[in-house]
Amino acid sequence: MPPRNLTTNIVAQIEAEPDLSRARALACGAIDRRAEEVRLTYLTPGSGQAMAYLRKEARAREAQAVLDGGGSLNPADWPLLAGEIGATAPDLPQVVASIIAQAEAWEAVAAQIETVRLAGKAAAMAALDHASLDAELRGALAALDPLEDPLA
């Protein structure tokens, strides 16, 4: 959950910024930061962790193709996935299914976050004055709030 004064602080900065272009940039930065806070209610932070997630998904999809083709999986051939046996699921095929399901669920949430983020930034950049910029920023930040992981 973000600090509740985030909106108040950024709005105060924008109102204090006489240059509308600079105020728009501040608003866009605030929207990007809030979107990342929402993403991190679902994900473990860090670029290395993000790379691990992507690689696990790619390997899980490759493994699923083997299974779909009637093959079997030797854990020694899938070390990144095999490391999840016992933690994520009891066997490799179930690990594969779990990783793919998590990736697909994340894609749906990520799409919603991106839609709000990009629309909010576009609206902020189109704002003709500080009052409309304030309204667009508040709207974008409010639209991100319900997208947080309810289990976080």
Side-chain angles (χ1 to χ4, degrees):
M1 199 90 179
R4 285 292 141 210
N5 63 0
L6 172 70
T7 301
T8 303
N9 289 342
I10 193 63
V11 168
Q13 279 184 307
I14 290 169
E15 288 174 349
E17 176 55 59
D19 182 325
L20 183 58
S21 293
R22 175 79 181 124
R24 287 182 186 130
L26 289 170
C28 289
I31 292 166
D32 284 340
R33 285 189 302 279
R34 181 66 183 118
E36 185 65 5
E37 289 172 352
V38 172
R39 284 186 203 102
L40 290 176
T41 66
Y42 294 90
L43 305 171
T44 304
S47 56
Q49 187 63 50
M51 290 171 56
Y53 286 148
L54 292 173
R55 188 66 183 142
K56 283 182 193 182
E57 179 188 357
R59 295 296 283 159
R61 292 192 185 281
E62 292 168 12
Q64 187 61 55
V66 170
L67 292 170
D68 290 346
S72 61
L73 303 176
N74 178 348
D77 296 333
W78 306 90
L80 188 60
L81 304 178
E84 296 211 17
I85 296 172
T88 299
D91 60 39
L92 193 49
Q94 289 180 52
V95 166
V96 167
S98 177
I99 290 171
I100 291 171
Q102 289 172 355
E104 289 173 355
W106 165 243
E107 184 174 1
V109 171
Q112 291 176 317
I113 295 168
E114 276 300 281
T115 297
V116 171
R117 184 183 77 83
L118 294 173
K121 289 176 64 172
M125 292 305 291
L128 299 176
D129 55 40
H130 281 75
S132 60
L133 179 57
D134 174 69
E136 296 298 351
L137 173 61
R138 287 176 187 268
L141 296 177
L144 286 165
D145 286 345
L147 299 178
E148 285 186 334
D149 184 350
L151 302 177

